[in-house]
Amino acid sequence: MEGENTTMTLENLLSFSYFHKYFINSSDYGYKGTIQEMRKKEFSRIADVTYLDHIGTTLFPESLLQTFMADLSTHVYGNPHSNNLSSRLTHDTIEYVRYRILQHFNASPEDYSVIFTSGSTAALKLVAEIFPWTPRSSSNAGSYFCYLTDNHTSVVGIRENMKMLYVSTVPVEPEDMLQSESPTTELLNDSTFHLFSYPALSNFSGTKYPLSWIKKIQTGEILPIRAPGKWCVLLDAASFVSTSPLDLAVYQPDFVTISFYKIFGFPTGLGALIVSNCIANFLRKNYFGGGTAAAYLSKEDFFVPKDSISDRFEDGTVPFLDIISLKHAFDTLQKLTGGMENIMNHTHALASYTYSVLSALRYNNGQPVVHIYTGSEVRTIDVQGPIINFNVMDENGGTIGYSQVDKLASLFNIHLRTGCFCNTGACQKHLGISNAEVIRNLQAGHICGDNMDLIDGRPTGSVRISFGFMSTFEDAKAFLTFIVDTFIKKSSQRTVQIMDYEKFPIISLSQSESSEEKGIDSSGKITGSTRVTQSQILSNLSTVERACKCKVRKTMTTNNKAIKLSHIYIYPIKSCAAFQVSRWPVAEQGLLFDRNWMIVNENGVCLSQKQEPRLCLIYPSIDTIKNIMKIQAKGMPSIEIPLDDNLTIQISQNKVCGDRVNTYDCGEEAAHWLFCFLSHKYRLIRQSSSFHRYAGAQRKGPVGASSSSLSLVNEAQYLLINTASIFHLSQQIPFREYTDPADQMTQRFRANLVVDSKIPFQEEEWNELFIDCLHFKRHQNSSQACAAGLTTLTGESSIR
C-alpha cells in the first residue's frame, strides 16, 4: 500500500474503491449495505449538507420522532409522583427505561443505579455535591480530587466546589498516568475517599484513554498521587458512548456520566449519572426537593431520604416525556445499525480513511496542508475515536485561522466545529500554548467561543471534524474535496496566475476636483482646509436632506492613484437583496433604512442566507415619496410596508449578533407573503426607532460619547469594498470565469460603498476616508469582522 501511495492520484485517493480496498474489513462500513437507504429515508432533511460535528451532537432519525409521537398520541402519561393510572404508567415506563439503559451498558441493577439529570454537566456537578469528601485540616490531609488535564470544562469546574469544601485539587497529565504503575495497595487501608476523573474519549483529539485504569486505580495498582484512602473513579463517557460500546460488567467505575443527545440526537437536555451501588450508601444528600423525601418536618431540622438511589437524588419531577422517548431511541438505533459495535466499526473506517488522506496531502513545495493533533500516530480502534482535530497550513507553513476555514467550509455546506471545544488543557498541550499566552490572549480580547483564531500568527484553537452513526463515505469525500479545492488547487493556481489589473477601467478626477484643490494628502487626510465631520453635517441637515454628496463617479485619491466611488447600496431587509441608489440620505445609524428590517423564524431567530438561501431573491426597495418599502420577488405580487415607525404595536425583543434589540412585527400580510414565497412560517420584523444599539457596547462596557448607533448590522454602520480586491479574489477561484467581477461578485460581500481602485486590498490600510464633506473612520474591530477585501467603516461618531 505504501508503494502504491507514492503514485496515487488525488482522484484515486478520493474514490470509493480506494476506501473500500484499504479501510473496510468485512462489514465494518455501512451496516451491511443499508447506510444509503438509511440516509435517504431517515435524514432527508440533510439534503446536500455535510454534517461533521457528531461529537457536538449526532442527528436524530425521523422514525424516532414518528414512533415517539405515535406513543404520545396513544397513551396518557401523568406526573409520576401521583398514584392515578396515567401516573403509574409513567412511573413504570421510566423504570423500564432505567433498566434499558443499564442493559445497553451491560450492567446489572444489582450493581448500578441510574439517576436522570439535565445532561452530563449536571451529572458531573451532582457528583461534586454528593461525594463523601473529607475536608483537609491541621491533622488530616483530607480528600483529593484529581483530574486528567485532557478533560472537558465541566470536569475541571469541579475544582471550584473543592475550594469551598477545603478539598485539595490536583491536575494530572496523561503521560504521568501512563507512567505511574507501581503497587501501592498499602495506601488503601485509610477510610478517606478520593476521586479521580478522566474521559473515556478526549473530545479534543479523539484519544481513547485505557478503561483498564479504572480497576488499577481502585485497587491501588496505579494512582494519580500517593495518598492513603479509598480511590474512586469518575468516568466522563459522554463523547465515548456516542460511537463506542461501554461494558460496565468488565469495566466498573464508581460514576459514569452521559448525555443522550450525543448518542441519539434526541432528546436534548437529558443525561444520566450511573452510580455504583457499592458507593451509594456513602453519598451525601445536601438538598432535598419534591419526590426525594421519605419524611421531613418544615418546622424542625428533620429529613429522611427515600431508600432508592434514583429517588434520593432526582429532585423534583423528572422530564418524564423525554425519558419515555429514550425507549424509542434505543429501539430505533438498534434497528438501523444493529448496535454500538457496528457503529464503532462504521465510524472508525470513515475516520481512518479521512485521516490517512488528509495527512498525506501536500502543496507543490512538499509542505503539509494540515497539522493534525492526535495522541497516537497509530489509529487503531481501541486507541482512537472518530475525531480528527487539525489546523490548515499555508504553503509557507503558517497557520490559516480556524475561523477562516469555518467560513470557507460553510460555502461548501460543510458543518464542522472550531475553537478549543471546552477542553483548554488538551488545546494548550497540542497547540503549544503556555499559561502565560492564555492570559495574554485574554487581555488581547480573545475568549472561548469567539473568532479570534490567530494572535501574533499563532493559533488560539483548531478545527475538529467527527463522524457519527449516519455518516457516509460521501461525507468524508466532500470534506476532503473541500480541502483540496480550497487550499491545494487554489495555491497551485496562484503560483502561475498573472494578474492584469490594467483591464480594470479607471475614471480619473476632473481638474476642478483634484486632490490638491480638495486638500487631501497621500494618506487620505485633509491638509489645507477645515475638517468637516459627519456629526456636524447631520446636525445641519434634516433626515431626508442628509443626501450623500458623493454621487456615483465622484473620485478620491490616495498615494496619487485615482479612486472613485462607483456604487452605493442599501439593504433594507437584513440578508435580502440590495437596493442600488446614486444618492441617499445619511442618518444616525448609517445610510437611512439600511438593515432596519429582518426576517425571523417561529422561534424569533434572525435568518441569514446560510439558513435560507432564497432570501437573496427577495428585492426590497424604498420609495421616500410614497413613504413605503416595496417587497418584490419573481412570481409573487409585490407588497408595501409603511416606512413610518408603528408605535401602536407591542414591542418585543430579538437578538442580533449577541445583542438584544427592541423590534415590532410588520403584520400578517408580510408573514403570509413570506410563507407563500419561502414555504415556511417566517415573520418580518423591524427595529424600533426608539431603541439604540451601540457598536462595541457588549464587549467594552458602558456606552461612551464615541460609540456609534447601529441598525441591525453586525458590527459597523458602513461596509466598504474595493473592486480591485474583488478582481484579485476572482482570479484565485479555480474553474470559474468572471468576465465582469464587479457585477458578479460585489453582491456577495454586501457592501454599502464600492470603490474602484488599481491596487487590491489597499483599503485594509485606510484608517480614515473622505467622500466630499463626509468623514469616515475605520471600525476598530474590522480586522476580525471583515472578509477578504472587505473593510468595515463607521462614521465620525464611531470609536476613534
Side-chain angles (χ1 to χ4, degrees):
M1 177 176 167
E2 292 181 359
E4 294 180 61
N5 275 344
T6 59
T7 58
M8 188 74 68
T9 65
L10 280 174
E11 183 178 357
N12 290 332
L13 285 173
L14 299 179
S15 67
F16 184 81
S17 59
Y18 175 78
F19 167 65
H20 187 273
K21 181 176 181 180
Y22 294 112
F23 297 95
I24 300 179
N25 297 319
S26 63
S27 59
D28 283 353
Y29 170 79
Y31 314 111
K32 298 181 179 180
T34 63
I35 183 64
Q36 296 300 334
E37 180 184 355
M38 179 205 299
R39 280 290 290 261
K40 182 178 180 180
K41 180 180 178 181
E42 299 284 354
F43 300 95
S44 59
R45 65 187 185 278
I46 296 177
D48 59 347
V49 170
T50 301
Y51 184 83
L52 294 174
D53 188 25
H54 291 272
I55 289 298
T57 180
T58 196
L59 303 178
F60 61 82
E62 292 181 15
S63 60
L64 190 165
L65 296 189
Q66 291 168 357
T67 56
F68 177 42
M69 290 304 299
D71 185 350
L72 297 185
S73 301
T74 305
H75 301 96
V76 178
Y77 292 106
N79 189 310
H81 290 167
S82 300
N83 285 316
N84 55 61
L85 290 179
S86 60
S87 299
R88 291 306 303 173
L89 176 62
T90 303
H91 175 273
D92 293 343
T93 305
I94 290 175
E95 294 310 303
Y96 169 79
V97 172
R98 291 188 208 276
Y99 173 78
R100 186 66 182 273
I101 294 170
L102 293 177
Q103 184 184 45
H104 181 77
F105 295 112
N106 195 28
S108 166
E110 284 73 37
D111 297 326
Y112 283 96
S113 297
V114 175
I115 300 172
F116 287 112
T117 64
S118 63
S120 59
T121 294
L124 292 164
K125 184 172 181 287
L126 180 61
V127 173
E129 294 171 347
I130 67 178
F131 191 78
W133 306 105
T134 299
R136 61 177 176 272
S137 63
S138 57
S139 59
N140 190 337
S143 297
Y144 283 92
F145 168 60
C146 300
Y147 61 89
L148 211 65
T149 52
D150 187 358
N151 250 314
H152 192 277
T153 301
S154 300
V155 173
V156 181
I158 292 176
R159 72 185 184 193
E160 298 304 300
N161 287 61
M162 301 303 97
K163 293 177 183 178
M164 297 183 291
L165 298 174
Y166 300 100
V167 172
S168 300
T169 299
V170 180
V172 181
E173 295 287 347
E175 296 78 9
D176 296 337
M177 285 299 298
L178 292 169
Q179 299 169 6
S180 67
E181 295 196 20
S182 59
T184 55
T185 53
E186 72 277 3
L187 298 176
L188 300 180
N189 296 324
D190 192 281
S191 60
T192 303
F193 283 93
H194 309 291
L195 183 64
F196 176 68
S197 178
Y198 77 98
L201 174 75
S202 169
N203 75 314
F204 185 92
S205 65
T207 298
K208 288 184 177 180
Y209 289 104
L211 296 177
S212 59
W213 283 358
I214 297 169
K215 185 174 182 180
K216 289 180 179 181
I217 291 171
Q218 291 169 334
T219 59
E221 186 176 343
I222 62 172
L223 290 178
I225 59 170
R226 293 179 64 85
K230 300 183 184 297
W231 280 91
C232 299
V233 176
L234 166 59
L235 186 71
D236 178 8
S239 295
F240 180 85
V241 298
S242 63
T243 55
S244 298
L246 176 62
D247 191 338
L248 293 181
V250 177
Y251 306 104
Q252 298 184 323
D254 300 275
F255 306 95
V256 182
T257 58
I258 57 176
S259 282
F260 292 108
Y261 70 89
K262 291 184 180 290
I263 306 174
F264 309 116
F266 180 88
T268 58
L270 180 63
L273 174 64
I274 303 176
V275 183
S276 170
N277 293 337
C278 294
I279 197 175
N281 290 330
F282 296 97
L283 302 179
R284 297 170 178 172
K285 183 65 175 174
N286 300 317
Y287 167 86
F288 65 93
T292 62
Y296 76 95
L297 294 174
S298 61
K299 294 184 179 181
E300 296 183 21
D301 185 10
F302 176 78
F303 162 69
V304 178
K306 288 185 176 179
D307 291 333
S308 165
I309 296 173
S310 57
D311 287 343
R312 195 185 311 169
F313 293 106
E314 290 175 350
D315 293 297
T317 302
V318 295
F320 53 90
L321 294 182
D322 287 339
I323 294 172
I324 290 170
S325 75
L326 291 179
K327 171 187 178 299
H328 305 286
F330 281 113
D331 291 344
T332 302
L333 195 66
Q334 182 69 29
K335 178 181 177 181
L336 294 177
T337 67
M340 295 305 301
E341 193 79 26
N342 293 339
I343 293 174
M344 179 174 64
N345 293 332
H346 174 81
T347 55
H348 178 72
L350 290 170
S352 297
Y353 162 72
T354 306
Y355 171 84
S356 177
V357 176
L358 196 61
S359 59
L361 296 179
R362 295 289 187 274
Y363 290 107
N364 287 343
N365 62 1
Q367 186 73 30
V369 178
V370 298
H371 181 103
I372 299 178
Y373 307 109
T374 179
S376 172
E377 294 299 324
V378 181
R379 295 182 66 89
T380 57
I381 202 167
D382 58 327
V383 301
Q384 188 69 38
I387 294 174
I388 303 174
N389 194 310
F390 64 95
N391 266 317
V392 179
M393 318 299 288
D394 61 30
E395 60 266 51
N396 298 316
T399 303
I400 298 175
Y402 62 74
S403 179
Q404 182 177 349
V405 176
D406 189 20
K407 289 180 173 65
L408 291 169
S410 68
L411 299 178
F412 286 75
N413 223 351
I414 295 174
H415 299 189
L416 39 74
R417 185 81 173 264
T418 60
C420 272
F421 323 107
C422 295
N423 192 333
T424 298
C427 190
Q428 282 188 255
K429 174 186 175 183
H430 287 284
L431 274 64
I433 304 173
S434 67
N435 293 345
E437 283 180 294
V438 171
I439 296 173
R440 285 199 299 269
N441 291 347
L442 177 64
Q443 293 170 342
H446 171 57
I447 62 172
C448 291
D450 68 13
N451 290 326
M452 194 179 291
D453 48 19
L454 296 174
I455 297 180
D456 296 329
R458 290 173 53 80
T460 62
S462 55
V463 182
R464 185 187 73 188
I465 63 171
S466 52
F467 296 94
F469 76 89
M470 43 67 67
S471 297
T472 64
F473 167 77
E474 287 72 23
D475 292 330
K477 181 178 179 179
F479 167 73
L480 292 169
T481 301
F482 153 67
I483 295 293
V484 170
D485 288 351
T486 305
F487 300 102
I488 299 180
K489 291 184 178 180
K490 172 185 174 182
S491 173
S492 300
Q493 188 175 30
R494 183 164 61 245
T495 60
V496 299
Q497 182 68 41
I498 300 175
M499 304 301 169
D500 183 11
Y501 300 115
E502 295 301 319
K503 290 193 298 186
F504 238 77
I506 298 297
I507 300 177
S508 300
L509 286 170
S510 63
Q511 184 64 32
S512 63
E513 294 175 324
S514 68
S515 61
E516 293 179 355
E517 283 190 31
K518 298 288 286 187
I520 304 176
D521 65 16
S522 61
S523 65
K525 294 183 179 180
I526 296 177
T527 58
S529 61
T530 304
R531 179 173 298 187
V532 183
T533 67
Q534 181 179 341
S535 57
Q536 290 170 326
I537 295 169
L538 297 182
S539 65
N540 295 323
L541 296 177
S542 67
T543 301
V544 178
E545 291 174 336
R546 293 169 187 170
C548 179
K549 299 300 182 182
C550 188
K551 301 177 183 178
V552 174
R553 306 304 176 190
K554 289 286 186 178
T555 61
M556 306 157 281
T557 66
T558 180
N559 297 327
N560 299 319
K561 300 292 185 180
I563 299 173
K564 69 178 187 302
L565 177 66
S566 61
H567 297 82
I568 302 173
Y569 295 104
I570 66 167
Y571 303 84
I573 305 177
K574 187 176 175 69
S575 296
C576 291
F579 174 45
Q580 184 175 353
V581 297
S582 61
R583 176 185 177 89
W584 198 252
V586 175
E588 180 184 3
Q589 296 178 334
L591 295 178
L592 187 63
F593 301 123
D594 183 50
R595 278 113 168 167
N596 273 201
W597 292 263
M598 64 181 177
I599 297 173
V600 300
N601 64 15
E602 290 181 287
N603 298 322
V605 176
C606 176
L607 295 177
S608 71
Q609 290 183 24
K610 290 180 180 179
Q611 294 87 31
E612 185 57 77
R614 297 188 71 201
L615 290 179
C616 68
L617 302 178
I618 297 177
Y619 293 87
S621 59
I622 302 294
D623 188 330
T624 55
I625 304 300
K626 295 183 178 179
N627 204 32
I628 59 168
M629 175 177 67
K630 180 182 287 187
I631 305 177
Q632 298 172 293
K634 186 176 180 180
M636 293 288 295
S638 63
I639 60 170
E640 297 177 352
I641 305 296
L643 295 182
D644 293 333
D645 210 346
N646 195 332
L647 301 178
T648 64
I649 298 179
Q650 183 176 358
I651 299 295
S652 59
Q653 282 200 341
N654 294 81
K655 268 195 171 184
V656 174
C657 298
D659 299 334
R660 291 194 176 276
V661 294
N662 287 352
T663 62
Y664 65 84
D665 195 290
C666 292
E668 295 301 326
E669 181 185 5
H672 179 71
W673 190 95
L674 292 172
F675 178 78
C676 292
F677 183 62
L678 299 173
S679 302
H680 289 284
K681 293 182 179 180
Y682 297 145
R683 310 291 298 188
L684 179 67
I685 62 175
R686 184 181 183 182
Q687 180 175 341
S688 172
S689 61
S690 61
F691 178 80
H692 294 280
R693 170 176 167 246
Y694 295 94
Q698 188 180 46
R699 293 175 297 279
K700 303 297 181 181
V703 175
S706 62
S707 296
S708 53
S709 179
L710 302 181
S711 60
L712 299 175
V713 297
N714 289 359
E715 287 201 36
Q717 292 177 328
Y718 307 90
L719 299 178
L720 177 146
I721 196 167
N722 178 4
T723 51
S725 304
I726 298 173
F727 179 73
H728 179 94
L729 178 62
S730 72
Q731 301 300 295
Q732 312 307 310
I733 302 177
F735 314 122
R736 298 183 184 180
E737 295 182 359
Y738 290 93
T739 57
D740 189 351
D743 289 343
Q744 296 189 30
M745 290 192 70
T746 301
Q747 293 296 324
R748 294 178 180 268
F749 292 95
R750 304 182 65 75
N752 297 112
L753 308 176
V754 182
V755 298
D756 288 349
S757 164
K758 281 190 175 183
I759 305 175
F761 307 120
Q762 69 174 152
E763 71 275 15
E764 294 293 339
E765 301 176 359
W766 298 346
N767 291 320
E768 296 181 282
L769 181 70
F770 295 86
I771 305 176
D772 277 352
C773 56
L774 291 177
H775 176 200
F776 300 87
K777 295 178 70 70
R778 174 188 290 273
H779 189 285
Q780 67 176 21
N781 292 314
S782 64
S783 59
Q784 289 90 39
C786 63
L790 179 64
T791 302
T792 315
L793 300 175
T794 64
E796 173 63 35
S797 61
S798 66
I799 299 172
R800 297 171 185 268

